[in-house]
Amino acid sequence: MPKSGVEPPNMVEDLDIPDKVRDELLSQGIRELYPPQADALQYALVGKNLVLAIPTASGKTLVAILGVLKKVLAHGRALYIVPLKALAEEKYNDFKAFEHLGLTVGLSVGDYDDLGRSLEKCDVVVATSEKADSLSRHDLNWIEKLSVVVADEVHLMHDPSRGPTLEVLLARIRTINPKCQIIALSATIQNSMEIAEWLDASHVTSDFRPVVLKEGVFLDGEVMYTDNTREEFPFLDDGVVSVVNASALAGEQSLVFVNTRKSTESLAERLGLYLREVLKKDELAALKDAASRLRRADAETTHVADKLANCISSGVAFHHAGLSPAQRRAVETAFKERKLRCIVATPTLAAGINLPAKRVVVRDVRRYDSMYGNLPIPVLEIKQMLGRAGRPKYDTEGQAILVAKTESQRSELLERYLLGEPERIYSKLGTEAALRSHVLASIATGLVAEDDDLVRFIDSTFYAYQAESWTLQERMDRALEFLEDEELITRDGKRLWPTKFGRRVSDLYVDPLSAVLLREAVQRAGLRDEVSDLAWLTAICTTPDLSTFFLRRSDYKIVGELAERHREEFLVEDVDEELEREDFLAEVKTGSMFSDWIGELSEDGISVKFNIGPGDIRAKVDNGRWLLYAASEIARLFSYNDLSRRLRNLEKRVSYGIREELLPLVSLKGVGRKRARALHAKGFRKPGDLKTATTDQLASIPGIGKAMANNIIQQVYGGEMPAETRGTTFEAEVVEEGQDVPATTEPTGKEPEPAADDGPSQTSLSSFGPGGGDDA
């Protein structure tokens, strides 16, 4: 609704924005606003809180950017919160396009124990909700300096894992800095008005889309659309193949969504058989080149990369969380460049980056839940997938298609998903895990000083807006009791104080239960002369912050035997009792993956053995190294200094996937597990040893090359290149394709096969049954 009955301006030239912003938009060809953008900007540009709930690809981001730019260019500061790292990079690049106007942009998605000092000079900070929460735990004053906060995908407050963090973060910002403007961007949901009322915000919602969306259901070679039109497709194999093949023949691209990783791969391979026949010779040549680049995208080649490259060469790719970041980027880039005709993905792509296509096909509307079996996918998620159909500026119409096998199923899909409303969203703050973490953070930061403060803060949350806060009282009491019993907080009547342990745990950004388990492991380790790597790697897997692999039927005997061989090493109170627990065996299995990783078993070896993808390895490594860092800090806090140092070394080994003897070599920039092993095999044990080498000698080592050799020599001489070591050329700070870096920094390039002394650790198991990765 227009504010004050006045029609809002729908032309960029009429907006109340700085002239240089207007000129920049006009130079980018943005002259006219979509109706919901015009409605929303009348609130966003005057500093009012706003909830904007409109469909995918309807221009939410531009509203947020203009709201931020107006504040920042008037000497304000902004925080842009996103749910995923991939989205953070995308929004960071969106703001970088305006940096020449006089603002600085920062991206923060990593180290949760970072004080954020490097961001202090940034006008705009783009961060995941977890990283923003972490920054606020370290310094509440940081929040006081904010002028505007954008909460992208705010409807994800209903997500059990991420939702409570975003909800508490917004409540904290509003408590500390009530004058800060909040711009919340949401998908179309039933109760977006509730979010607006909670945030004291203006509410703009619309079903407008710049590209018309035709939604329909495929059955027996025909799509029946909701506008009562029909479209026939030559039937090939099944509905998905029929639609995708027809799209490819017309020169159009398709996105296909299925419910498991295995399905993405098998369907992509099947589609490739048809698409190869459609593509022209020059298109196949371009795809062959893209497939070749994909194989070089990571430091190590895996069977997943080979399978993906083979699919890409046929014009199709699969996309899921098991791919490495470099592989996902390669797929997304090839699709944006219109080299690929189709991507088959799990729903994570729909929640991730902006990647629209002319046609979207959703094959699966049910997915498996370990507790409840096969469940219908929520309407909201299906709508997010379907909303990817139609490319603004390129298509006048997008087609979103569900696939049915029977007439009754077609009717069901039509009624539930195409004509039905997205679900209401609800706060997920009421879980004990969420409460104990956020209650501790509130006390540790000084936001809450006594019981009444805690009640008032909980009253400010979306949970309390939807339900009376007293319904949480019993769970809050249990959370407080746990925190007090485990000496994370102390109490003096109603007064609440964090202990040193509690304050450090809050800063470390781990679940308080994880911290307690790590503290117990540290105390047990302190009573021993020696603790094995496997013992520590299993200990971190016992925490709720690290999800363990599933145990398959064939795993029980193998993992049981491994656990029995190492029974005296584990940092547990009663090993006999633990060995009877299925969960403990899953923890040992997951710990053995870390053991293989630091034993330098290849990425492909781990992928095959545990039936996981490169992306899974990196996710586990990232979590594992952080928990080892937390354990080292807890050890240091309790004066186990030698143990703290050993844990820091183990953390670094997990980061790089190396044995201990390679630690000195990976201190060199650009040298990771493969290059370090290659240098070690040639007799170089530490950086100082490399002073005896010439660039030509180093360049001849597999995986090094001329540019990297120059880079290494420059580092070992502190930036100066002695004349006797120089090769024919010198490229400062250049690392050629194939650079080797720790897994947590998303490696790029290709490395040679491991040196002869590479191999699995002594705790390696012969094989595990299929499974272990998530179907995300």
Side-chain angles (χ1 to χ4, degrees), residues 379-445:
V379 176
L380 176 59
E381 286 189 46
I382 296 294
K383 291 286 189 184
Q384 288 285 89
M385 297 179 220
L386 297 176
R388 294 294 177 185
R391 299 168 303 147
K393 300 182 183 179
Y394 297 100
D395 299 324
T396 58
E397 176 183 278
Q399 296 174 337
I401 299 168
L402 301 177
V403 179
K405 294 181 179 179
T406 65
E407 187 65 48
S408 62
Q409 189 184 29
R410 176 159 69 178
S411 298
E412 180 187 350
L413 293 175
L414 185 68
E415 292 297 322
R416 178 180 175 85
Y417 289 108
L418 301 189
L419 301 179
E421 290 289 319
E423 297 83 2
R424 295 171 62 84
I425 71 162
Y426 295 94
S427 168
K428 298 299 190 295
L429 183 59
T431 66
E432 287 192 33
L435 280 174
R436 67 180 174 241
S437 180
H438 292 297
V439 167
L440 174 61
S442 299
I443 297 170
T445 57

Side-chain angles (χ1 to χ4, degrees), residues 261 320-325 327-328 603 612-620:
R261 296 182 187 185
H320 55 61
L323 300 184
S324 71
Q327 290 168 345
R328 291 198 295 271
E603 240 180 75
I612 57 176
D616 300 311
I617 297 173
R618 284 170 171 75
K620 284 284 186 287

Side-chain angles (χ1 to χ4, degrees), residues 109-336:
V109 295
D111 186 349
Y112 293 133
D113 200 28
D114 177 20
L115 298 181
R117 300 296 185 215
S118 62
L119 302 173
E120 287 183 348
K121 296 182 179 180
C122 294
D123 302 304
V124 181
V125 174
V126 181
T128 60
S129 52
E130 290 84 4
K131 180 59 182 181
D133 183 32
S134 169
L135 289 170
S136 71
R137 291 188 187 196
H138 281 85
D139 182 9
L140 288 181
N141 294 329
W142 181 75
I143 290 177
E144 294 177 351
K145 301 172 185 176
L146 294 173
S147 306
V148 57
V149 170
V150 177
D152 207 346
E153 309 284 354
V154 73
H155 58 275
L156 290 179
M157 283 195 298
H158 79 108
D159 181 87
S161 59
R162 284 194 159 95
T165 297
L166 176 59
E167 178 182 346
V168 168
L169 177 60
L170 290 175
R172 188 181 299 145
I173 290 168
R174 298 188 70 222
T175 298
I176 295 171
N177 186 357
K179 293 183 179 180
C180 179
Q181 181 185 13
I182 306 289
I183 299 175
L185 310 179
S186 172
T188 46
I189 55 175
Q190 278 193 42
N191 59 331
S192 55
M193 176 60 86
E194 253 191 339
I195 300 175
E197 291 170 350
W198 170 56
L199 293 174
D200 297 319
S202 300
H203 179 241
V204 174
T205 186
S206 170
D207 59 4
F208 171 86
R209 280 177 52 97
V211 178
V212 175
L213 182 65
K214 281 182 67 113
E215 296 179 312
V217 182
F218 179 97
L219 176 67
D220 295 335
E222 180 186 69
V223 176
M224 184 173 71
Y225 293 103
T226 54
D227 62 2
N228 293 321
T229 61
R230 296 172 183 265
E231 183 175 4
E232 292 186 355
F233 292 85
F235 190 79
L236 297 171
D237 199 12
D238 65 14
V240 174
V241 175
S242 302
V243 173
V244 170
N245 194 69
S247 298
L249 283 167
E252 302 292 355
Q253 293 176 294
S254 304
L255 287 175
V256 178
F257 290 101
V258 294
N259 59 4
T260 68
R261 296 182 187 185
K262 186 176 180 180
S263 292
T264 66
E265 297 177 13
S266 60
L267 181 55
E269 288 176 320
R270 187 151 54 89
L271 284 167
L273 299 176
Y274 291 90
L275 296 184
R276 283 194 71 84
E277 303 302 316
V278 173
L279 298 167
K280 299 174 183 177
K281 284 186 178 180
D282 60 329
E283 292 174 320
L284 289 170
L287 287 166
K288 184 178 179 181
D289 182 60
S292 178
R293 289 201 304 274
L294 183 280
R295 285 191 168 94
R296 299 194 303 269
D298 284 307
E300 296 185 41
T301 300
T302 65
H303 72 288
V304 174
D306 286 336
K307 182 184 289 188
L308 182 57
N310 289 336
C311 286
I312 287 175
S313 65
S314 298
V316 62
F318 52 86
H319 190 292
H320 55 61
L323 300 184
S324 71
Q327 290 168 345
R328 291 198 295 271
R329 282 195 297 269
V331 169
E332 292 156 9
T333 299
F335 194 79
K336 288 177 179 178

